[in-house]
């Protein structure tokens, strides 16, 4: 068993006692009135905010695999709407990245791994028979630019998004942090 949890809890006690949180004190309202949707890729954890000059308190950051809005009424879109209506965000940045694990991802290899890990074929069949499109659910995208454009479109045309919110689309290089503009929401 991993000792990660114990390590984290020990570290955390010292962090709080030593008041190491002090440089991070801020409010929940994003200073730069922006919300970022990006990928959960580990290379972006610090690189993405640093490369954009985003500090603690500057932006709401929503993450998932691939920076995707897969469903207009799913939890990602809800988070964006909460950032807009509850937290004064006025600008949305969808930021995909080069070399994303979701590029060219298909359901079949994941299902195979699930079977190897002990998930029964019966369960997978039951999902399929209950009308769940498991192949679509576990599908990535072919082009990160197209995917970013689609997510920008879904957000921009969402019936609950107010007109004043601008939605940009970008792609980041996970090595250099270089941003490439795909959709300029101001135009
Ligand atoms: Zn990714």
């Amino acid at each position: 068993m991993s000792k990660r949890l114990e390590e984290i809890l020990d570290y955390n006690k010292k962090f709080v006692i030593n008041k190491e949180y002090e440089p991070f004190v801020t409010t929940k309202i994003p200073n730069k009135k922006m919300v970022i949707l990006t990928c959960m890729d580990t290379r972006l954890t610090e690189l993405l905010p640093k490369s954009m000059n985003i500090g603690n308190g500057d932006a709401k950051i929503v993450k998932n695999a691939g920076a995707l809005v897969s469903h207009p009424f799913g939890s990602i879109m809800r988070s964006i709407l909460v950032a807009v209506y509850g937290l004064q965000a006025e600008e949305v940045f969808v930021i995909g990245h080069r070399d994303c694990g979701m590029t060219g991802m298909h359901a079949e290899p994941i299902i195979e791994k699930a079977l190897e890990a002990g998930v029964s074929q019966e369960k997978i069949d039951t999902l399929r028979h209950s009308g769940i499109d498991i192949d679509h659910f576990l599908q990535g995208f072919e082009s990160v630019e197209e995917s970013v454009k689609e997510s920008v479109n879904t957000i921009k045309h969402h019936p609950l998004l107010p007109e004043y919110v601008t939605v940009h689309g970008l792609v980041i290089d996970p090595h250099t942090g270089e941003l490439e503009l795909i959709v300029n929401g101001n135009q």
Side-chain angles (χ1 to χ4, degrees), residues 25-93:
V25 170
T26 180
T27 70
K28 63 180 180 179
I29 303 295
N31 298 325
K32 295 190 175 173
K33 297 194 179 226
M34 59 191 280
V35 51
I36 296 169
L37 166 61
T38 191
C39 183
M40 65 184 192
D41 193 292
T42 49
R43 295 169 293 182
L44 302 180
T45 307
E46 288 190 72
L47 178 71
L48 181 135
K50 291 231 161 73
S51 73
M52 295 175 70
N53 195 24
I54 303 279
N56 208 41
D58 280 342
K60 293 284 152 188
I61 303 184
V62 183
K63 290 191 170 195
N64 68 7
L68 286 167
V69 185
S70 311
H71 197 286
F73 291 94
S75 64
I76 293 290
M77 194 60 224
R78 180 173 55 220
S79 302
I80 292 169
L81 291 169
V82 167
V84 167
Y85 288 114
L87 302 157
Q88 303 170 18
E90 294 174 353
E91 227 166 340
V92 183
F93 293 74

Side-chain angles (χ1 to χ4, degrees), residues 88-157:
Q88 303 170 18
E90 294 174 353
E91 227 166 340
V92 183
F93 293 74
V94 178
I95 310 180
H97 68 100
R98 300 280 163 218
D99 190 31
C100 184
M102 292 293 276
T103 312
M105 191 185 92
H106 295 287
E108 211 44 54
I110 297 176
I111 294 169
E112 270 168 36
K113 282 184 186 163
L115 289 169
E116 282 166 24
V119 174
S120 69
Q121 182 66 52
E122 194 189 349
K123 272 188 191 163
I124 289 167
D125 293 342
T126 306
L127 287 174
R128 286 211 163 105
H129 292 148
S130 30
I132 289 168
D133 188 350
I134 194 167
D135 297 297
H136 179 72
F137 175 62
L138 294 173
Q139 172 99 23
F141 44 76
E142 295 309 319
S143 146
V144 68
E145 288 90 346
E146 288 310 308
S147 162
V148 164
K149 279 184 204 165
E150 268 177 43
S151 290
V152 166
N153 259 329
T154 305
I155 299 166
K156 189 63 202 167
H157 297 114

